[in-house]
Amino acid sequence: MGVLRSSLKAVTAVVSRNRLTARLFEAVSTSLFYNHVALVKGRHLAAIHAATGGVVEDGPFRGLRLGRAAHWGHDGIAMLLGDYEREVAAALFARDLSAYGVFVDVGAANGYFAVGMALASPLPVVAFERDPASRAVIRANAALNHVSLDLREEATAAALQAVIANKPGRALVLVDIEGAELAVLDPAETPALARADIVVENHVVGGTRSLDVLAGRLAATHAAVPIPREGRNPFRSAHLRALPDNEAWACLTEQRAADSGWVLFKALAYP
């Protein structure tokens, strides 16, 4: 072990002297780390799914059933333990849900939020998801939970406008579409956004944070409320306490960049 540590220190010292080599080394190391995390999650998902019975154990979606079909982004374990994007779930359920006429999930992936809200809230749910395989998973998860929702294909500004405009009262909207939020959340094309509280995940588009662009676009109609990231404690779960420390942490990481995060754009038209 001492020889290995010495060798790694020597390699690091050499790499650090050359800026280009250092960048390449960092890129390769990051890629290896991400691959390792995906392998760890894949290694333990089946066992934890079996141990939980495929039922979310904690959080506002406790009791939500998730099938064994592919989980978007390798986050099935975090979903089953109720830790996936816990900050977003808390922000949604901190609202008075009875004040809304609809919940809209733009970029529904495997349906964790869309099906979860159909199960745990009184709101009708409209979900947009462009990927056909993901829509099949959403349908399967909705059937497992005996809930119904309005599942649609790719979101557009016009489609979102129609949904919000045709529902009574205000809308609660969740948007996570990997940078395409700038095309969908445009007040010029979707004026009904003024009647919506919107939770948006940040992505960097052309070197610019999408949340910064949206804050400018929505300044006249919305107040921007940052949703801070929170830590995770894998050792709350008996399923993860049985694993080596590094693997327990890997099962819950969402591998977010430093500038990743969310903002609640709160409609000024409502108190």
Side-chain angles (χ1 to χ4, degrees):
M1 183 64 72
V3 173
L4 177 59
R5 286 176 180 163
S6 297
S7 299
L8 287 173
K9 286 182 180 179
V11 169
T12 303
V14 171
V15 165
S16 64
R17 294 191 196 107
N18 185 299
R19 190 170 298 174
L20 181 60
T21 305
R23 289 177 180 172
L24 178 60
F25 183 75
E26 182 180 1
V28 171
S29 299
T30 300
S31 178
L32 289 173
F33 170 74
Y34 286 163
N35 288 336
H36 171 71
V37 168
L39 286 172
V40 169
K41 290 179 176 181
R43 184 185 308 144
H44 297 296
L45 176 58
I48 292 177
H49 190 280
T52 59
V55 179
V56 174
E57 291 194 331
D58 197 15
F61 297 142
R62 184 174 183 175
L64 173 68
R65 294 185 175 277
L66 296 173
R68 283 285 305 277
H71 288 72
W72 185 272
H74 306 287
D75 287 314
I77 293 173
M79 291 178 181
L80 288 167
L81 300 183
D83 273 310
Y84 178 69
E85 296 193 351
R86 187 174 62 198
E87 302 89 340
V88 173
L92 295 176
F93 280 87
R95 318 304 300 160
D96 176 7
L97 296 180
S98 66
Y100 298 93
V102 64
F103 172 71
V104 186
D105 189 355
V106 182
N110 73 334
Y112 179 74
F113 282 102
V115 179
M117 289 294 284
L119 180 69
S121 85
L123 298 178
V125 174
V126 178
F128 290 93
E129 174 51 52
R130 65 181 297 179
D131 179 56
S134 295
R135 290 198 299 274
V137 174
I138 294 170
R139 292 189 191 96
N141 283 330
L144 271 177
N145 290 277
H146 308 288
V147 299
S148 61
L149 50 81
D150 182 353
L151 181 58
R152 307 187 183 191
E153 297 183 6
E154 184 173 5
T156 63
L160 185 58
Q161 167 69 18
V163 168
I164 298 173
N166 290 327
K167 294 292 184 180
R170 56 177 156 163
L172 183 58
V173 181
L174 173 61
V175 182
D176 181 3
I177 45 177
E178 310 305 320
E181 57 267 22
L182 295 182
V184 174
L185 299 177
D186 185 347
E189 297 188 43
T190 316
L193 288 174
R195 291 174 37 211
D197 289 338
I198 315 162
V199 175
V200 188
E201 180 169 337
N202 181 60
H203 299 93
V204 176
V205 181
T208 302
R209 286 165 35 97
S210 63
L211 291 183
D212 294 337
V213 176
L214 292 173
R217 285 185 184 178
L218 299 171
T221 54
H222 291 77
V225 182
I227 300 173
R229 290 189 296 172
E230 298 178 359
R232 301 291 189 268
N233 179 8
F235 307 111
R236 291 188 312 113
S237 165
H239 308 298
L240 298 186
R241 284 198 297 271
L243 302 182
D245 283 8
N246 64 320
E247 295 195 7
W249 286 107
C251 284
L252 289 189
T253 180
E254 295 173 16
Q255 298 168 260
R256 296 189 173 277
D259 57 3
S260 179
W262 309 270
V263 165
L264 166 65
F265 289 101
K266 187 178 180 302
L268 296 175
Y270 301 92

